[in-house]
Amino acid sequence: MTDIVEDLKWRGLIAQTTDEDALRKAFADGPVTAYCGFDPTAASLHVGHLTQVLTLRRLQLAGHRPIALVGGATGLIGDPKPSAERQLNEASTVREWVGRIRGQLSAFLDFAGGDDTDAPNAALMANNYDWTENLSAIDLLRDLGKHFSINQMLARDTVKSRLGGEGMSYTEFSYVILQSFDYLELYRRHGCTLQIGGSDQWGNITAGLDLIRRVTGNQPHGQAHAMTTNLLTKADGTKFGKTEGGAVWLDPELTTPYAFYQFWLNADDRDVSRYLRTFSFRSHEEIEELEREAAERPAARAAQRTLAEELTTMVHGADQCAAAVEASRALFGQGDLAALDAATLAAAVAELPSAQVAELPTVVDALVATELAPSKGAARRTIKEGGAYVNNTKVATEDALLTSADLLHGRWVLLRRGKRNLGALELS
């Protein structure tokens, strides 16, 4: 089997393991059954989840068996946040989100039927509501609660930070018990001996290891393991996966394929190497070559384009990726704007500074309305210097008017100042 530990280390993914040598041996003796949990706290996964989803995929490609667990039960409670109590969602809403997230996860892993009679590394889909639905309060306290030390639970960083402020409800305080129960049940049912998660989940995961040891004596499936991945942050200090409009979702209805593509295309030069190693399935040699090219010719943005195309294709399909690429080229004068379909153009316009107008104005007024020029005088200078474009056509005169012939799909006009500054006018 592939030495998955060395691959993950090369990619900078491994933050913590309980015992790296023991884990390496388990992989060598494999296949190992590994799981990661995804709580339905929204209608879609976002790019922050991709680290774990794609790590499961790497494990499967290396010959191991992944379990994608959607937390139909834990999603009703919510993993504690460092600063405030999590808002609880209606059970019907959580059930809907479970279904949507299960559908998204199924696109990344090979389930091949999804039961224990399939190929040794066929992925499984699990829902922790299945084993908690009939768990009584007495069973929870008597059979599970007795194995948890209050002292250890209070010592967890998330709990300590909350106790110093407004406190924490028992609902969130009990989350670690349910997540630990997940690991115990997957160990019993499917011989799962590895849980992965972000480094902020280390306490929850190791609590699960301790529960397995106390309840089963690590029998019959042997020692269980824990591995966490490093949390991604941006070089500028902002949270990974966030844009001005919010999270970057995997659902195309929440984040369009064009916006998804642009998120990766606009990655900071300081970040793109880490993103390639974390998310790309290209070989080490290909990634290292892209890193060299990015260092020597950063303006070419070859690494960003490669990453954007690979991930957009992976998440949204080749056709949507091709449409996003063509839209990106067309917006910057390297393609035909008129050839873009209305949906793709609408997605592109949504990412630009824009203004709505009841009737078409002069180009000068349009440049000001879209904030491409701070004043009419500045707009006229831009036109005079040859730096203003309407639908990629250079504006020749300072008194130029926009007409219905300029409307794309009868609705939009694209404006550009210089090579990189874009805006859109929409006729309402």
Side-chain angles (χ1 to χ4, degrees):
M1 292 188 177
T2 302
D3 188 344
I4 186 66
V5 172
E6 282 306 308
D7 179 60
L8 295 176
K9 290 179 69 174
W10 180 85
R11 295 177 183 281
L13 283 170
I14 297 180
Q16 301 147 302
T17 63
T18 39
D19 185 330
E20 184 178 311
D21 291 337
L23 181 59
R24 192 188 300 273
K25 183 178 186 305
F27 279 132
D29 295 341
V32 168
T33 298
Y35 100 91
C36 184
F38 303 90
D39 276 348
T41 55
S44 170
L45 299 175
H46 53 73
V47 295
H49 292 110
L50 278 179
T51 302
Q52 305 308 324
V53 176
L54 298 185
T55 298
L56 284 180
R57 181 169 175 167
R58 295 186 198 284
L59 291 174
Q60 186 171 37
L61 291 175
H64 306 287
R65 182 172 68 159
I67 298 177
L69 182 143
V70 182
T74 44
L76 291 167
I77 292 175
D79 198 5
K81 295 193 296 185
S83 57
E85 194 79 5
R86 188 181 295 274
Q87 180 177 348
L88 300 183
N89 296 297
E90 294 293 332
S92 58
T93 300
V94 172
R95 284 194 296 271
E96 178 191 346
W97 290 349
V98 165
R100 296 180 66 159
I101 291 172
R102 284 168 68 99
Q104 289 180 332
L105 289 169
S106 67
F108 295 94
L109 302 170
D110 182 7
F111 288 88
D115 60 49
D116 287 339
T117 64
D118 284 314
N121 73 328
L124 302 177
M125 187 76 76
N127 182 347
N128 57 21
Y129 195 75
D130 293 344
W131 51 82
T132 56
E133 179 182 10
N134 297 317
L135 182 68
S136 72
I138 293 297
D139 291 338
L140 174 69
L141 295 173
R142 181 179 175 85
D143 298 336
L144 296 175
K146 67 181 181 181
H147 296 295
F148 289 83
S149 162
I150 288 293
N151 291 346
Q152 290 179 342
M153 294 172 74
L154 289 173
R156 298 171 70 229
D157 288 341
T158 303
V159 175
K160 287 194 295 185
S161 66
R162 291 279 292 280
L163 292 181
E166 297 182 1
M168 174 185 289
S169 71
Y170 183 76
T171 302
E172 288 196 358
F173 185 66
S174 66
Y175 186 93
V176 64
I177 299 177
L178 293 184
Q179 183 169 329
S180 300
F181 187 35
D182 292 345
Y183 200 174
L184 173 63
E185 281 298 298
L186 293 175
Y187 181 88
R188 286 167 163 168
R189 295 175 181 223
H190 303 295
C192 179
T193 55
L194 173 63
Q195 184 182 171
I196 69 169
S199 57
D200 57 341
Q201 289 294 308
W202 181 251
N204 288 340
I205 297 174
T206 54
L209 292 179
D210 193 48
L211 182 62
I212 290 171
R213 178 183 59 81
R214 289 173 180 272
V215 173
T216 74
N218 288 333
Q219 297 297 325
H221 305 297
Q223 180 183 355
H225 306 272
M227 184 184 77
T228 61
T229 59
N230 287 301
L231 298 179
L232 281 181
T233 56
K234 291 184 179 180
D236 63 7
T238 58
K239 189 174 182 179
F240 171 76
K242 294 286 187 178
T243 67
E244 290 184 6
V248 180
W249 304 99
L250 304 192
D251 188 326
E253 295 181 5
L254 299 176
T255 297
T256 66
Y258 175 82
F260 186 88
Y261 175 84
Q262 288 293 319
F263 172 77
W264 301 105
L265 186 65
N266 293 327
D268 193 302
D269 291 333
R270 297 168 293 176
D271 293 323
V272 70
S273 175
R274 290 186 299 122
Y275 294 174
L276 279 167
R277 293 188 179 221
T278 299
F279 301 112
S280 176
F281 282 83
R282 291 174 178 267
S283 69
H284 292 191
E285 293 75 19
E286 289 176 294
I287 291 173
E288 287 169 349
E289 177 57 33
L290 284 167
E291 290 171 339
R292 282 191 291 272
E293 188 171 351
E296 294 169 4
R297 299 173 55 238
R301 301 188 75 74
Q304 284 91 337
R305 282 201 311 276
T306 299
L307 182 67
E309 290 179 18
E310 180 175 356
L311 290 177
T312 305
T313 299
M314 188 187 304
V315 173
H316 296 295
D319 290 346
Q320 290 294 332
C321 178
V325 170
E326 185 56 34
S328 184
R329 287 174 49 81
L331 258 62
F332 292 99
Q334 298 174 328
D336 183 7
L337 281 169
L340 299 180
D341 63 78
T344 300
L345 186 59
V349 167
E351 301 302 306
L352 302 177
S354 62
Q356 286 191 334
V357 293
E359 56 184 30
L360 292 173
T362 65
V363 173
V364 166
D365 288 337
L367 289 170
V368 174
T370 55
E371 299 182 359
L372 292 176
S375 65
K376 290 185 178 182
R380 292 189 185 95
R381 285 194 297 274
T382 297
I383 295 171
K384 185 176 181 180
E385 293 166 0
Y389 298 80
V390 170
N391 298 336
N392 291 332
T393 299
K394 186 180 291 187
V395 180
T397 62
E398 297 174 36
D399 58 354
L401 292 170
L402 295 176
T403 71
S404 59
D406 295 313
L407 290 171
L408 300 168
H409 294 285
R411 182 177 175 185
W412 297 287
V413 178
L414 272 294
L415 299 119
R416 177 159 52 91
R417 178 174 61 81
K419 292 182 178 181
R420 305 296 301 176
N421 299 294
L422 295 168
L425 209 64
E426 181 179 3
L427 187 63
S428 59

